[in-house]
Amino acid sequence: MAGLELDPLRRTVTRDGRPLNLSVKEFALLEALLRAGPAFLSTEDLLEQVWDEFADPLTNTVTVTIGRLRRKLGPPAVIVTTPGVGYRIL
């Protein structure tokens, strides 16, 4: 998908053959988005899947982590945001 290859066993990610150095949360966030396929995941979904049930639902940690992940993935953008709906991979 979008030139992304994620290996959950080795915990590696490449885009168009270029290795990416992702944090644990960035990797988990990308993995959740890829698993969801074309479906959107809300901020609440991502907090539950990537963080835990005790994560503050009013925190901006998902937005910040998505921003870092987008920068590391580089252009063209592969993460789409639809306000009020959530995030998905193109």
Side-chain angles (χ1 to χ4, degrees):
M1 215 178 235
L4 290 170
E5 291 185 31
L6 184 140
D7 183 340
L9 296 176
R10 291 191 180 109
R11 302 204 49 85
T12 60
V13 176
T14 60
R15 178 152 192 209
D16 298 326
R18 177 179 52 97
L20 303 176
N21 184 19
L22 303 182
S23 72
V24 171
K25 291 298 183 193
E26 291 163 350
F27 183 91
L29 185 60
L30 181 59
E31 186 175 29
L33 289 170
L34 287 170
R35 265 197 326 268
F40 281 91
L41 290 177
S42 69
T43 298
E44 293 80 15
D45 293 333
L46 291 168
L47 282 171
E48 288 175 11
Q49 292 181 34
V50 176
W51 283 266
D52 61 33
E53 67 274 6
F54 302 111
D56 180 1
L58 301 178
T59 184
N60 70 344
T61 193
V62 171
T63 304
V64 170
T65 306
I66 288 279
R68 284 196 323 257
L69 183 56
R70 281 184 170 136
R71 282 190 294 281
K72 289 182 180 183
L73 291 173
V78 296
I79 300 174
V80 173
T81 304
T82 299
V85 178
Y87 304 93
R88 73 180 178 102
I89 294 280
L90 289 175

